[in-house]
Amino acid sequence: MASPPFSYAVVKDAKVLMVGAGGIGCELLKTLALSGFPDIHIIDMDTIEVSNLNRQFLFRQSHVGQSKAKVARDAVLKFRPHIDITPYHANVKDPEFNVDFFKQFNVVLNGLDNLDARRHVNRLCLAANVPLVESGTTGFLGQVTVHVKGRTECYECQPKPAPKTYPVCTITSTPSKFVHCVVWAKDLLFAKLFGDKNQDNDLNVRSSDGASSSENVDDVFERRKDEDIDQYGRKIFDHVFGYNIELALSNEETWKNRNRPKPIYSKDVLSDELAQQNGNLEKNCACDDELSVSAMTSLGMKNPQDIWSLRENSKIFLEALRIFFTKREKEVGNLGFDKDDQLAVEFVTAAANIRAASFGIPLHSLFEAKGIAGNIVHAVATTNAVIAGLIVIEAIKVLQNDIESCRMTYCLEHPSRNMLLMPVEPFEPNKSCYVCSETPLSLEINTNRSKLKDLVEKIVKAKLGMNIPLIMCASNLLYEAGDVEDDMIAIYEANLEKVLAELPSPVTGGTMLTVEDMQQEFVCNINIKHREEFDEEKEPDEMVLLGWIQPVSAAENKDKSVDNGGSTTSDAVVTAVESEKDDEITIVSTLKKRKLPDEIDISSAPADVKHQKQLEVIDDEDDLVMLDGDLDSFKKRRLS
Amino acid sequence: MHKIQSSKAQLIYSALLFGLSCLALFFMWIQRGFCLGMERDGEELTAQETALYDRQIRVWGADAQRRLSKAHVLVYGMKGTVAEFCKNVVLAGVGSLTLVDDRVATEEALSSNFLIPPVENVYGGKTLAELCCNSLKDFNPMVRVSVEKGDLSSFGVEFFSKFDVVVVSCCSLSAKKLANDKCRKLSKRVAFYAVDCRDSCGEVFVDLQDYKYSKKKQDETIECDLKYPSFEDALSVPWRSFHKRMSKLYFAMRVIEKFEEAEGRGAGEVSIADLSAVLKLKKDLCTGQSLNESHVPDTLLERLVTNATEFPPVCAVIGGILGQEVIKAISGKGDPLKNFFYFDAFDGKGIIEDISAN
């Protein structure tokens, strides 16, 4: 056998950086320490929460609110006192973690929870030429991949699944799944009532009296001075669940092939005793301020797993709204939905359920609604432990400089070809990857209409994931973020507001822009193509970035083609094609991200045309995984 | 700004939780007092449990979580892999975990075990089970962790009846068979697992006896019935009847196991000095079973005798897979593996082998 045994010598001399001290991170730090790694640095910006404790085993109840990186360090030093662990309670995107910082490590190990940070670390590893072992888990599924510059593909060589989006009309008018109702309740109704009033919102705010008359009608959501809060609550209820549904019903065309929703008015669901009841509650709440943050508590409902009746949902809706406007008045106007905000979750659950009832969609418990609204990723300790073990195994191979033996490993829920852990040879770098190759991108844009600001926000930051960008046209600096000299600030500010063709160094069709991120030490070129017209529905940004995602050509796939895109129930679908000789296996894999029941037929817009008018479910927190959802039709490519 | 708000919310939330859980405990206490011995099957998870287990309930559901909280697990042999397993099931929230291992802690036994501080004046004189118990209790206050003294072979059938799951490790072939047989003598089903890691390889054996479960496929529910052989029956399946690609580790582990038994050694008490004797035994076994010797590479045996100690990343992998399997068996959710699992860090494959008489 050619492969050398695992050598402790490389471990003893290694200095490693771990990014993330969460689900995978805790397991990883423990396994690294046990395996004899003497010098470990760990970055995590998060603090400990109760829902972490069932798997992030280095943390205890008493640590809630403290830095994950620091507590993890202390816990591991208890059983391995003689190693060095350096914690950073900080964001890996902070400028102190620059290329020089990364260069001091022999390998970087990711246990991250979001795409943005993963891309950032990928670029720093490429710039510093440090190998990266990347990982992710969701439920029983997990994966570990190895990225070595020039030898294997980088983290961004393959397209990543775009955030789930829903067409606006599905959310505003024709929901067919519970998730549509949750998005409506969270992104439209909650935002309208408690969020920033200046934000665009697709909710119809016109009242029945105003609709027919003139343009300047009253906004129903404006609460009149001294308006009784219970009356206001009922007015909102009747407007969004009653009147707006009636209005929608009047458009016969919409309901030709759909079930007609039924309007729900508060008086039909709740008898008039409510007003009286609320009065009583007010008295009860006054004596215990702490409990009044929850509408469930104040109504005596306990189990988050229960599915409430329409009547109960209506009571929660009104009670939560009342509490927001009385006990949390100061926050109203700048609240964003937070899944750890109990009252916000209660409100969104109730509103989503009432809407669901109206549209004949099955109601859900608070527990389920919270999972959907907060986009909570399923997580168990065992998968994280397995993945952490696999990361260390790959890290040791990398340290031995035995890249030939490195594998991408998938942890599966249902065995494929008798394997629960499936190793796959890493792919070679994608030659047209805009991150690790020098292939330019091209951008179709109306250079007479789009401003530099649009380009910076919608393309450079949102799509290219740059943190502190700098934009150059030929040798002229058009824009620079970060620490800029005072006299330049005004110039850049002015440039941002100019349309491209009118910049000091005009950007028109045929211009090549150079975009650079100083921190990531990442440069790429963008060829500008002027285009006059854009499809308002499909291309609302009026920009189309090409080369950003390489479509995988099906014709290229000479191995047995696998397309399990249509499968619905299995969480992971992987097919291996075994070759005749030795133990070598040739693998064609399709891994699907674990799906929430309601997610299955989400219409996904083409990833390069991110539809601004669509509502996004933003991934946040915890062990979010980017299982490479679109790993379809790859063929094995040997490392050269 | 946003951060500050959310941590404030957290504080309020945890204060609330604390209040609620005190309340819940109070009610449970009253309930206990009044309806002692009553079947509490329909009982709901407490707010505290729901908050703590939130993420995993989203994976396997509240029903499965309730079943977990009523399961009693026994482990024997407290080395690295079992320590990993214990951590996993304690975090998952089983009802109780009982540890058996009277061996006194030595530096070697601690090498892959994160439950014990490697400080002589802490571990000195105590048994492995006692030391691990102290740490594990800390992981999840809702799980009862305790120590039972004694030798695995000396426990009677009655003893095993107290458990739903039995996991044994670091013990002789005969002790494994004996424990497995005692579990099988009971009228209730006790899930039996044997697990071992050597060098960068690991093995798991599963015996769920007659295991029925249902699973959903597309929209229909399929009833599944798996019949597991005992450890002894599985080992007696003739080698020549196996498929060609049978994991080489299966044979290698049997050779080493036989060697240790023949020499009267404890589990893992082999060294490079034994290599020639082990290779001779391999030749004899292969001849007796009419198996081509190439199925049991000498290099693999060499690895296993040279380094009988556990490799921590493999402990994590095997302890994780074993934890997952035990959770599946208790909760009735998911396809359990039948009946051997192998992992070798060299090729990175985690393979299931079904070794049954038919």
Side-chain angles (χ1 to χ4, degrees), chain A residues 317-576:
Chain A
F317 177 91
L318 293 174
E319 178 64 4
L321 189 141
R322 192 185 65 79
I323 296 176
F324 267 123
F325 278 98
T326 52
K327 312 277 172 177
R328 295 176 59 179
E329 211 173 353
K330 286 198 192 97
E331 296 167 66
V332 171
N334 53 29
L335 267 170
F337 177 81
D338 175 355
K339 68 175 175 19
D340 294 314
D341 180 343
Q342 172 71 15
L343 189 62
V345 173
E346 289 171 352
F347 178 84
V348 165
T349 303
N353 272 329
I354 301 167
R355 187 167 173 85
S358 176
F359 283 85
I361 296 166
L363 308 196
H364 286 66
S365 69
L366 175 116
F367 180 82
E368 293 166 304
K370 177 181 171 182
I372 298 166
N375 208 27
I376 293 175
V377 173
H378 306 197
V380 284
T382 48
T383 314
N384 289 336
V386 171
I387 288 301
L390 295 171
I391 293 172
V392 177
I393 290 167
E394 293 309 319
I396 295 175
K397 292 183 202 166
V398 166
L399 292 170
Q400 289 174 327
N401 202 19
D402 184 14
I403 311 301
E404 292 287 324
S405 303
C406 285
R407 293 289 179 271
M408 310 194 273
T409 311
Y410 296 93
C411 182
L412 310 174
E413 182 170 6
H414 306 290
S416 170
R417 297 201 68 92
N418 282 348
M419 278 187 267
L420 274 179
L421 301 175
M422 177 184 272
V424 181
E425 272 194 46
F427 299 122
E428 60 192 20
N430 177 354
K431 288 191 182 71
S432 50
C433 172
Y434 77 95
V435 179
C436 70
S437 82
E438 273 158 32
T439 311
L441 294 159
S442 36
L443 178 69
E444 295 178 353
I445 190 166
N446 187 329
T447 52
N448 298 322
R449 215 158 53 210
S450 292
K451 293 176 179 170
L452 182 63
K453 185 173 74 181
D454 302 326
L455 183 94
V456 171
E457 293 302 324
K458 291 172 185 168
I459 300 293
V460 178
K461 288 190 178 167
K463 297 237 164 106
L464 304 184
M466 290 200 180
N467 201 21
I468 310 172
L470 174 155
I471 299 173
M472 284 199 308
C473 178
S475 56
N476 299 311
L477 207 50
L478 294 175
Y479 175 73
E480 187 179 357
D483 281 336
V484 179
E485 292 135 56
D486 291 345
D487 52 333
M488 294 307 286
I489 292 178
I491 297 175
Y492 294 148
E493 285 299 317
N495 281 352
L496 283 178
E497 296 303 324
K498 288 183 180 143
V499 297
L500 298 179
E502 289 164 16
L503 284 161
S505 165
V507 175
T508 54
T511 306
M512 161 104 79
L513 283 181
T514 302
V515 187
E516 189 173 349
D517 186 299
M518 302 301 268
Q519 189 194 358
Q520 297 172 347
E521 289 195 14
F522 165 50
V523 187
C524 71
N525 292 319
I526 304 176
N527 287 316
I528 300 295
K529 290 180 182 164
H530 174 77
R531 188 171 136 192
E532 203 59 45
E533 296 300 328
F534 289 85
D535 184 325
E536 235 175 87
E537 266 297 308
K538 288 185 193 144
E539 305 156 335
D541 287 350
E542 304 205 318
M543 289 179 217
V544 179
L545 186 64
L546 303 167
W548 179 51
I549 281 172
Q550 288 299 310
V552 181
S553 153
E556 244 180 63
N557 181 8
K558 289 184 201 131
D559 290 325
K560 195 167 158 189
S561 165
V562 178
D563 181 16
N564 286 303
S567 101
T568 49
T569 51
S570 61
D571 297 307
V573 192
V574 176
T575 306

Side-chain angles (χ1 to χ4, degrees), chain B residues 285-297:
Chain B
L285 287 172
C286 286
T287 313
Q289 295 266 12
S290 333
L291 182 81
N292 188 320
E293 278 188 59
S294 67
H295 286 277
V296 202

Side-chain angles (χ1 to χ4, degrees), chain B residues 89-348:
Chain B
V89 293
V90 167
L91 289 175
V94 294
S96 77
L97 174 67
T98 305
L99 315 175
V100 184
D101 198 330
D102 292 347
R103 284 170 279 197
V104 184
T106 61
E107 210 150 316
E108 191 272 316
L110 305 187
S111 69
S112 316
N113 192 330
F114 58 93
L115 296 174
I116 308 173
V119 183
E120 175 100 57
N121 60 6
V122 176
Y123 72 72
K126 298 210 180 83
T127 69
L128 285 172
E130 286 166 342
L131 288 162
C132 292
C133 180
N134 290 339
S135 304
L136 285 166
K137 273 181 179 164
D138 232 22
F139 285 8
N140 187 346
M142 285 189 263
V143 178
R144 294 189 301 282
V145 188
S146 61
V147 171
E148 194 81 45
K149 297 249 175 193
D151 181 62
L152 184 63
S153 305
S154 65
F155 293 125
V157 173
E158 264 311 289
F159 176 79
F160 290 97
S161 72
K162 292 188 280 184
F163 303 99
D164 303 293
V165 174
V166 171
V167 172
V168 305
S169 182
C170 319
C171 61
S172 68
L173 176 61
S174 58
K176 280 180 188 169
K177 285 182 185 168
L178 202 59
N180 186 203
D181 286 344
K182 284 172 186 164
C183 292
R184 289 190 145 248
K185 286 213 175 81
L186 293 160
S187 53
K188 77 162 185 176
R189 191 189 62 232
V190 178
F192 176 86
Y193 299 83
V195 60
D196 270 306
C197 289
R198 291 161 187 263
D199 191 68
S200 44
C201 303
E203 175 186 68
V204 178
F205 166 76
V206 184
D207 176 14
L208 301 181
Q209 301 175 31
D210 188 1
Y211 185 80
K212 293 190 180 71
Y213 67 107
S214 53
K215 65 173 173 183
K216 283 211 172 103
K217 201 161 200 178
Q218 262 82 40
D219 281 326
E220 47 185 334
T221 306
I222 305 168
E223 298 298 326
C224 304
D225 187 357
L226 295 177
K227 297 234 183 327
Y228 287 77
S230 68
F231 193 48
E232 179 142 33
D233 288 347
L235 296 196
S236 64
V237 177
W239 290 3
R240 61 185 170 276
S241 69
F242 293 154
H243 62 96
K244 273 188 200 149
R245 307 181 54 85
M246 172 61 72
S247 171
K248 296 171 170 56
L249 263 173
Y250 173 78
F251 304 114
M253 293 298 268
R254 302 291 80 79
V255 172
I256 303 236
E257 207 170 59
K258 270 263 190 290
F259 176 80
E260 287 174 348
E261 189 181 50
E263 298 282 311
R265 312 266 185 95
E269 288 174 13
V270 284
S271 71
I272 189 74
D274 298 316
L275 185 61
S276 57
V278 167
L279 293 181
K280 164 133 197 341
L281 180 62
K282 168 198 119 167
K283 198 173 179 356
D284 295 347
L285 287 172
C286 286
T287 313
Q289 295 266 12
S290 333
L291 182 81
N292 188 320
E293 278 188 59
S294 67
H295 286 277
V296 202
D298 292 354
T299 47
L300 180 56
L301 286 168
E302 189 180 336
R303 273 168 65 199
L304 298 180
V305 295
T306 310
N307 201 356
T309 53
E310 298 165 303
F311 181 50
V314 174
C315 294
V317 171
I318 295 290
I321 297 284
L322 180 62
Q324 226 145 289
E325 287 305 318
V326 166
I327 290 164
K328 278 188 208 166
I330 296 172
S331 65
K333 293 256 165 104
D335 305 311
L337 76 79
K338 178 171 183 279
N339 52 351
F340 283 87
F341 177 78
Y342 289 97
F343 178 72
D344 182 348
F346 268 29
D347 61 20

